[in-house]
Amino acid sequence: QVQLVESGGDLVQTGGSLTLSCTIAGLISDDNAIGWFRQTPGVADHGISCILARDSSTWYGDAVKGRFAIFRNKARKTGYLRMDDLKPEDTAVYYCAVGRFVKASPMQPLWYDSWGQGTQVTVSS
């Protein structure tokens, strides 16, 4: 059983930056992906980015491509999401998750079975 704890959410101004952390307790395999998702009221979980444990290959959603970066520190068992040039529409609860990697749709929430509790990011205009 993998347990995840996110941290780093905060209130920032438009154009600001944040780095979210995801501490991972438990074993993950090379076939797992670590994903970041976000949710706003009334909107389903939306995949932002994911990283493959095997080789750190990364994927990004169009809304964040070029502004966000996902990476991990394998030794510290921590995943990160660096967010730059934040916009009000980035306001959401952000979740990290671990699941099996599916190349055809790597950021489909359905593939992820371990989730953190979420951390709030609010971007003021």
Side-chain angles (χ1 to χ4, degrees):
Q1 182 77 18
V2 176
Q3 294 182 324
L4 309 170
V5 178
E6 304 95 335
S7 61
D10 206 344
L11 169 64
V12 296
Q13 293 184 336
T14 296
S17 298
L18 279 176
T19 298
L20 305 182
S21 299
C22 175
T23 302
I24 303 168
L27 296 176
I28 63 173
S29 75
D30 284 347
D31 294 328
N32 282 146
I34 302 166
W36 284 94
F37 300 80
R38 65 188 180 189
Q39 187 173 31
T40 54
V43 180
D45 288 340
H46 179 67
I48 303 169
S49 180
C50 68
I51 184 168
L52 179 58
R54 182 183 304 278
D55 59 7
S56 294
S57 298
T58 58
W59 284 261
Y60 295 94
D62 290 340
V64 305
K65 199 171 294 183
R67 300 188 298 123
F68 289 13
I70 188 171
F71 55 102
R72 66 186 285 231
N73 184 316
K74 187 175 182 180
R76 294 184 177 181
K77 302 190 73 174
T78 304
Y80 302 93
L81 184 68
R82 170 70 180 184
M83 307 185 293
D84 294 320
D85 189 22
L86 283 162
K87 305 175 181 180
E89 52 263 42
D90 294 319
T91 294
V93 178
Y94 285 69
Y95 300 87
C96 67
V98 169
R100 65 186 180 101
F101 173 69
V102 178
K103 189 173 183 179
S105 55
M107 292 186 288
Q108 171 62 249
L110 183 64
W111 311 138
Y112 293 79
D113 49 18
S114 296
W115 293 77
Q117 83 289 348
T119 186
Q120 176 72 46
V121 173
T122 303
V123 185
S124 63
S125 56

